Amino acid sequence: MTVLRFVLGDQLSISLSSLSDLDPANDVILMAEVMEEATYTPHHTRKIAFVFSAMRHFAATMEKAGATVRYVRLDDTGNTGTLRGELIRATEDLVPDRVVVTEAGEWRLRSEMAKWQQLIGTPVELREDDRFVCSHEEFRSWADGRKQLRMEFFYRDMRRKTGLLMTAAGKPEGGQWNFDTENRRSLPAGLAVPKLTRFEPDSTTLEVLDLVSDRFSQHFGDLDAFDYAVTAEEAETALQAFLDKRLAGFGPYQDAMKQGEDHLFHAVISMYLNVGLLDPVSVCRRAERAYLDGAAPLNAVEGFIRQIIGWREYVRGIYWLHMPDYAQTNYLEANRPLPSFYWTGDTKLNCLHQAIDETRRLAYAHHIQRLMITGNFALLVGVRPQEICDWYLAVYADAYEWVELPNTHGMAIFADGGVMASKPYAASGAYIDRMSDYCRGCRYDVKQKTGDDACPFNYLYWNFLMKNAEKLRGNRRLAMPYRTLDRMDPDRKASIQRDSGRFLEELSK
Ligand code: FAD
Ligand code: DLZ
Ligand code: SF4
């Protein structure tokens, strides 16, 4: 009895639900590099290379373990270019008794999967993706009846469920759930930042790099000096280097930004977690161990674990709870096209230039760059939700809609009207100046509030609050800025509107 087990490019985990009862003697694993998945959004070339190389390495690992893999390369003759086409071809060739597949992470593909059985006329068993702490069902029942779905309360439940950083008495380690008051510091001058571990491309990766530079030359992003981990073992090495050298600094400096330091104290593991090369709970247990061994302080370890069992699980829950309608909302009625410099980095606003340039080089930018630089700017100038979401989905190596969309649509641009965030993450230049050294190298002056040389974030921030007053004034967390606005001198208000009008007009050209 042959079972065809279809494994997608972000399902590269030996413990995957669709492989749990693999019979290597009879079953066939199907994996396919297809144009449709590589182009449904114009993915960064580094992301395509990473996914294809990791897929090829995973197939080789499975074959070494005795499994039979039908691996379809992008340039193989007969490649239909779609996952459904490859499924049809494989079922016609192999005539399996049934197909087993773990549900896709993105709504687009998950809803297509529901039609596969009818399409091929063979039973298709869709299995839950159990590489997460919280199932769809569990999130739904957590959300049921709650007025507000705040991450902090969800996170506490995930701590209780996993037992991570919990005492024997069932209390949070250190007597608090959250140590962020000890975090969010700016970088002290001269602080040395450990370098990231590089992985030299092997012959498989080199072949993929040639393929990608040949077939996707029109896509955004640099492919030079590709150095990602592409196997579970390499991802494990990358994680270990983070735990040894950067975890202790993760807490205090997780919101800091510095020109020329692309990763600072971040883990740089999201792309590995999201394709399954690392397991989220194991990663957290390793960080917890570092705390228990005295190698990293509690504020850093708790903050790191919160990102994974808190934020990562929570955004996935929100996505599946509200899709497909979630992607359609536009609470602030934002209607501006995405400025073209998001694709080139060609802007005089140095913070934006740095964040976009890093994104182009590495398919990576850390959270605060995504939220408070590119996200904040899109929020303040009112970029159309779909255009900014499509950009984030395309440009980051870790981008899959289940995690990208709530972070962008909800957290960064408030297009969901507050499902995710209790207020818009809008900030003026003062925040960027406090958390980075970008302003020193900028043509604009962050201290100036109005006029040609003033930092555009300064007037755009107040302009945003004025423009959206009807929708935002009632938000208690914005009471203070609205009080300041109400007391503001009318001349100052007029110059804010004038400067913003001029800037936005220029942006539209
Ligand atoms: P670290 O800062 O070291 O954090 C450790 C891990 O925690 C990450 O690897 C990630 O798995 C998890 N994590 C941290 N913050 C979040 C979060 N807000 N949501 C989900 N997981 C989180 N993350 C993605 O994985 N894919 C995306 O497409 C994505 N798009 C984003 C878009 C916007 C506008 C914003 C503001 C954030 C986005 N994030 C996304 C979340 C976050 O920015 C990245 O997970 C993080 O920058 C990855 O780098 P790191 O591994 O060095 O993370
Ligand atoms: C991201 C990606 C890319 C670039 N290419 C492929 C591919 O050729 N074949 C494949 O099976 N998966 C690919 N992926 C990952 C899928 O896009 C991902 O499985 C869906 O977006 C669902 O999360
Ligand atoms: Fe960005 Fe304003 Fe600072 Fe320039 S001055 S880097 S635009 S915050």
Side-chain angles (χ1 to χ4, degrees):
M1 173 151 165
T2 305
V3 180
L4 183 66
R5 298 175 187 270
F6 202 172
V7 174
L8 307 181
D10 58 351
Q11 299 184 341
L12 311 180
S13 315
I14 307 246
S15 63
L16 194 71
S17 58
S18 62
L19 298 177
S20 62
D21 50 351
L22 174 78
D23 173 3
N26 294 304
D27 298 350
V28 176
I29 296 173
L30 169 65
M31 296 179 74
E33 296 167 8
V34 294
M35 247 352 212
E36 188 171 67
E37 288 309 301
T39 56
Y40 72 89
T41 186
H43 301 286
H44 196 297
T45 48
R46 246 179 161 68
K47 177 180 179 187
I48 302 176
F50 165 61
V51 172
F52 285 3
S53 179
M55 284 174 72
R56 291 185 186 191
H57 281 93
F58 184 77
T61 304
M62 293 313 291
E63 274 172 343
K64 227 184 255 167
T68 303
V69 182
R70 175 181 165 114
Y71 193 96
V72 185
R73 291 179 174 218
L74 190 81
D75 47 8
D76 280 351
T77 340
N79 187 330
T80 55
T82 65
L83 293 174
R84 76 193 154 274
E86 288 316 298
L87 178 65
I88 293 171
R89 232 163 42 106
T91 40
E92 281 171 2
D93 289 353
L94 303 168
V95 199
D97 297 302
R98 63 195 173 102
V99 173
V100 174
V101 62
T102 295
E103 63 185 349
E106 297 194 342
W107 190 86
R108 157 190 78 82
L109 195 52
R110 172 66 182 78
S111 41
E112 191 195 303
M113 279 179 169
K115 299 178 204 140
W116 279 359
Q117 178 161 320
Q118 206 183 11
L119 183 76
I120 59 173
T122 303
V124 175
E125 187 191 336
L126 274 185
R127 292 191 181 164
E128 196 175 314
D129 190 345
D130 57 11
R131 298 173 298 168
F132 293 87
V133 181
C134 186
S135 68
H136 299 323
E137 195 42 53
E138 199 180 343
F139 192 85
R140 244 177 258 125
S141 55
W142 175 79
D144 195 30
R146 282 176 200 257
K147 259 207 195 134
Q148 289 192 317
L149 305 181
R150 292 293 164 244
M151 197 289 296
E152 188 61 34
F153 298 110
F154 169 79
Y155 162 61
R156 293 178 191 181
D157 281 358
M158 295 302 103
R159 287 271 295 277
R160 291 188 191 97
K161 181 173 179 185
T162 57
L164 282 159
L165 295 180
M166 298 297 289
T167 65
K171 298 274 183 238
E173 189 70 34
Q176 277 167 234
W177 291 102
N178 181 317
F179 291 85
D180 260 358
T181 45
E182 295 170 40
N183 295 333
R184 300 189 175 145
R185 286 194 239 143
S186 46
L187 278 181
L191 183 74
V193 179
K195 289 278 162 265
L196 212 62
T197 311
R198 296 196 68 233
F199 297 91
E200 270 315 312
D202 63 4
S203 57
T204 302
T205 303
L206 288 172
E207 221 178 315
V208 166
L209 291 172
D210 277 349
L211 172 77
V212 174
S213 67
D214 189 36
R215 302 291 295 276
F216 301 96
S217 58
Q218 75 285 14
H219 281 218
F220 174 78
D222 278 6
L223 209 46
D224 306 341
F226 181 91
D227 59 355
Y228 286 4
V230 290
T231 63
E233 292 70 31
E234 287 179 349
E236 175 59 35
T237 305
L239 170 66
Q240 192 58 52
F242 165 70
L243 295 172
D244 293 343
K245 298 184 200 151
R246 304 196 301 281
L247 174 59
F250 176 85
Y253 309 122
Q254 64 181 285
D255 286 6
M257 298 171 277
K258 186 171 165 57
Q259 195 158 323
E261 291 290 355
D262 298 320
H263 310 102
L264 287 170
F265 293 89
H266 290 271
V268 197
I269 56 165
S270 46
M271 61 286 240
Y272 309 139
L273 284 166
N274 294 353
V275 299
L277 296 183
L278 289 175
D279 169 65
V281 174
S282 315
V283 166
C284 292
R285 296 225 182 280
R286 300 273 299 283
E288 180 187 45
R289 173 56 37 210
Y291 161 67
L292 296 172
D293 291 347
L298 185 56
N299 61 309
V301 174
E302 185 282 313
F304 177 71
I305 288 178
R306 175 160 23 95
Q307 306 311 311
I308 297 181
I309 62 164
W311 281 109
R312 186 170 184 271
E313 296 284 335
Y314 169 79
V315 298
R316 179 175 182 258
I318 294 282
Y319 177 79
W320 283 102
L321 189 66
H322 292 295
M323 278 300 278
D325 301 340
Y326 191 73
Q328 305 307 322
T329 56
N330 185 359
Y331 181 69
L332 297 176
E333 296 170 73
N335 202 24
R336 181 174 302 283
L338 182 75
S340 58
F341 66 71
Y342 271 72
W343 296 109
T344 61
D346 189 9
T347 167
K348 293 194 175 87
L349 284 81
N350 190 41
C351 50
L352 279 164
H353 170 72
Q354 295 300 331
I356 295 167
D357 186 59
E358 179 180 336
T359 302
R360 183 186 54 74
R361 285 185 287 110
L362 305 175
Y364 177 85
H366 67 69
H367 187 68
I368 293 302
Q369 293 171 304
R370 298 188 204 194
L371 184 63
M372 301 310 293
I373 306 289
T374 43
N376 184 24
F377 186 79
L379 170 74
L380 297 185
V381 304
V383 176
R384 273 183 212 128
Q386 197 176 343
E387 292 196 25
I388 187 68
C389 290
D390 285 351
W391 182 79
Y392 279 101
L393 188 62
V395 301
Y396 291 112
D398 57 24
Y400 295 88
E401 199 187 56
W402 64 266
V403 52
E404 173 277 324
L405 190 74
N407 269 300
T408 311
H409 195 84
M411 197 178 335
I413 60 163
F414 208 67
D416 65 3
V419 174
M420 276 270 297
S422 52
K423 72 175 176 85
Y425 280 89
S428 69
Y431 172 85
I432 297 171
D433 191 32
R434 189 163 65 250
M435 298 315 297
S436 79
D437 62 357
Y438 294 146
C439 301
R440 272 184 244 155
C442 188
R443 168 251 177 273
Y444 296 102
D445 181 353
V446 73
K447 301 280 184 261
Q448 289 195 41
K449 309 287 183 232
T450 52
D452 282 352
D453 293 333
C455 164
F457 281 91
N458 288 344
Y459 46 78
L460 290 172
Y461 170 77
W462 292 111
N463 187 61
F464 167 81
L465 289 178
M466 284 189 239
K467 183 168 171 260
N468 294 294
E470 214 177 286
K471 288 187 170 141
L472 300 179
R473 186 180 277 283
N475 184 319
R476 275 190 298 145
R477 296 200 59 204
L478 292 176
M480 203 145 78
Y482 274 109
R483 265 201 305 275
T484 309
L485 195 58
D486 290 341
R487 285 197 299 260
M488 200 178 270
D489 178 68
D491 286 349
R492 166 103 197 272
K493 277 192 194 162
S495 54
I496 285 169
Q497 283 172 318
R498 199 174 47 243
D499 288 339
S500 300
R502 181 182 34 80
F503 182 88
L504 294 171
E505 200 183 308
E506 196 59 35
L507 197 63
S508 309
K509 280 185 187 160

